[in-house]
Amino acid sequence: MVDFYVAQGIEFLGDAKIGGEITRSGAKWSAPNTTDLSGRAITGDFHIEAIPVSLKAARALCNKEQAEIAEQAKMARETVKAAEKGNWWTPSHRALQDYYESLGIEFTGWGETATGKFYGVGVRWKSAGSSPENEHAAIPSDPGLRRP
């Protein structure tokens, strides 16, 4: 199964230490090694998403059904369904993203809102020291790039 997903362009995430557990597990679409979006710099066949976060992947990481997430996030199931389909940057979308982040999920990926091209979109658990009560982990930023 792992070989199948890797062949599809999925990159599995996790930090491992000898004799310890794997932490920060998750998955994302493979992305170019450069963040230069000039058009000439990105070569290869990479999966491109039109939005910078995948709420459906976040739900899968939680191993929950839409109805469970809707109840816990205090939303209608249809709202969760619409947000997962890409109704992007509506107040409901932001609220759902905040809900997942409060559970300890970190969204990955980078790209540019103007072009609608986002690479490396995926999810992972935050570091072992993170918890819903802690501040959200800082996301490094590069000039001109948009992150969720």
Side-chain angles (χ1 to χ4, degrees), residues 85-108:
K85 285 185 176 181
N87 291 345
W88 161 243
W89 282 130
T90 64
S92 297
H93 185 280
R94 182 72 240 177
L96 196 53
Q97 183 177 341
D98 288 346
Y99 168 75
Y100 286 123
E101 288 174 345
S102 77
L103 296 178
I105 291 178
E106 176 182 334
F107 292 90
T108 66

Side-chain angles (χ1 to χ4, degrees), residues 4 23 26-27 31 45 78 80 115 117-118 129 134 139 141 144:
F4 170 79
T23 59
D45 190 21
E78 288 303 315
V80 173
T115 63
K117 293 182 179 180
F118 296 92
N134 293 344
I139 299 174
S141 61

Side-chain angles (χ1 to χ4, degrees), residues 7-90:
Q8 300 303 309
I10 299 291
E11 184 178 324
F12 291 97
L13 307 172
D15 297 336
K17 294 182 182 177
I18 296 174
E21 293 183 20
I22 296 174
T23 59
R24 301 191 70 211
S25 59
K28 68 175 189 155
W29 287 106
S30 296
N33 291 329
T34 180
T35 57
D36 181 359
L37 297 177
S38 66
R40 295 179 306 248
I42 295 180
T43 59
D45 190 21
F46 294 101
H47 180 86
I48 300 170
E49 288 284 323
I51 58 175
V53 297
S54 176
L55 297 174
K56 190 172 185 176
R59 181 171 56 82
L61 190 62
C62 292
N63 195 28
K64 296 190 185 262
E65 298 293 326
Q66 284 179 339
E68 290 178 89
I69 294 298
E71 182 180 331
Q72 292 171 3
K74 297 178 179 37
M75 299 180 169
R77 183 182 170 279
E78 288 303 315
T79 302
V80 173
K81 184 178 179 179
E84 286 184 1
K85 285 185 176 181
N87 291 345
W88 161 243
W89 282 130
T90 64

